[in-house]
Amino acid sequence: MAKITAHISVGALSDIGLNPARTKNEDYYGRFDGDYGTLFIVCDGMGGHEGGEIASRIAVESIKSYFDDYFVPTEEIPIIVQSIDHAHQNILATASRDIAMLDMGSTLVLLLIKGSQFWYAHSGDSRIYMRRGDSINRLTKDHSEVQGLVDTGVISPEQAKEHPRRNVISKALGHTNYTPDVSGPHVLYQDDVFLLCTDGLTEYVADEEIMEYMSEDPQISCQILIELAKQRGGADNITAQMIRVVHGAVEGGMSVAPKKASVNFKKYGISAFFALTAIFILWQIGKAIVDRGARDKKPEIVVSGDRVIPEVISPKEKKNEQPKAEKQPAPTTQPVSVAGLEAQLEKELSVVPAGAAYTEFLAKLNQANPSAGLPTQLKFIREPKEKRSIFVVPGKTIYIAFRHLANVEKVPGDQFFALISIAAAIGISYSGGLQDYDQLYFAGATGAIPDNVYGKATELYIKTTGADKFRFARNISTLKPRLKQANLALHYVAQ
């Protein structure tokens, strides 16, 4: 007779790698037990020395806290999806509060074992392997640029291993495209072995070698695999978490699903039915009270060193928060100077200095295009008015509603450089006069950005950075429909 509860043996290890420039381990992992079963998570952070480390930690801890608070039996798939979205939102919230964390994000692999079943999910290029018998199965497919080329037949899997862009991922928590692939439930077999790992391992160790060492004790296997990766160069952070099913859900070739609890009405009578009904009603009332409390509770802020990190945000309050609309200044019929509009913008908008990386990029644009008349300052808007998220005064200042774009429109950090190029191009592309422009746009128009602005922005960016034209064009094409569909007004004035 098959056993319903799986007994597992677990090993885990994380190493900073051999790159002397790396002072922190941006990988983070965890194993958690609860009513939901046993939850395993491995994350690989990105976004600078502190950003990656913080993003991976937020991802793991946010998912764990969501499972603790909101798990409902038989709802494993929705809980996994919601917990990952919760982690994604918490990463965005941290990035919006600290400009140094702007580009941070994290890959994710997740494995849930409960009773005789398992579920898994991933976003990015961290992987989950399963060894069953004498074969290994990679349960996840990398969310990466190169994997997309393999899927469309442009390159072969062998060519992908040596492709120069093999580490460019297409999904990650904290970035626009993060939606995970989720699968389950699947039957758990005795002697199944799972490996959750970051690309710091799979960059140096082939799948066949991984299968060979998955037959060892889990902790010894993790140590061997990480040492093997380091012997071959191992420059990246390396993390491995291995799980062996010592006693699983299947014996003698027959799988058995968990049995549902039932009530013996013959033994306990009709009173059992009413008792269970009463318990269900009380549970629903209690859940409603907790949900209301979660909606009303405001996130607290914890100051750690020189950075501000938000506490885990309740998923009940994170959805659809939009800044309240404010009255807009009436259009003027009198000619307005650039200095006058600059002063009016400063008065109407709540602005803060932009981060060094973005001001440096704007300075480089000006250096590469000295006679273009581009704005020379960059500031972030704390709260945009309605959906008007960008203001540009040519030869003066670019104002960008960073928090709104990052959290509501979910523009990722690597697209903000493209956005600055677009804003700079706007200031030199409009041919109207100040009076005309102020009447048409400063009062609240929401017209689409002209195509010639995108072309000019591409020219400015490439001339400044010498970047790959295809990569920048992809950023532009991603921004363009988002800005149009969101009906965001780009407010700008021209000489």
Side-chain angles (χ1 to χ4, degrees), residues 375-390:
T376 57
Q377 296 185 82
L378 176 65
K379 296 181 180 180
F380 286 152
I381 306 169
R382 287 187 184 277
E383 299 295 339
K385 295 178 179 298
E386 296 178 350
K387 288 186 177 180
R388 305 191 304 187
S389 296
I390 303 174

Side-chain angles (χ1 to χ4, degrees), residues 146-147 150 155-166:
V146 168
Q147 184 62 53
V150 173
I155 63 175
S156 68
E158 291 71 26
Q159 291 173 316
K161 296 176 183 178
E162 303 299 329
H163 197 282
R165 297 179 64 81
R166 61 187 178 277

Side-chain angles (χ1 to χ4, degrees), residues 331-344:
T332 177
T333 58
Q334 300 298 321
V336 181
S337 66
V338 170
L341 284 172
E342 179 81 358
Q344 189 174 359

Side-chain angles (χ1 to χ4, degrees), residues 13 64 113 143 156 162 203 228 286 345-346 402 404 495:
L13 189 64
K64 187 263 184 185
I113 293 178
H143 295 138
S156 68
E162 303 299 329
E203 176 73 13
L228 185 59
L345 282 170
E346 291 284 345
F402 165 74
H404 174 72
Q495 300 279 7

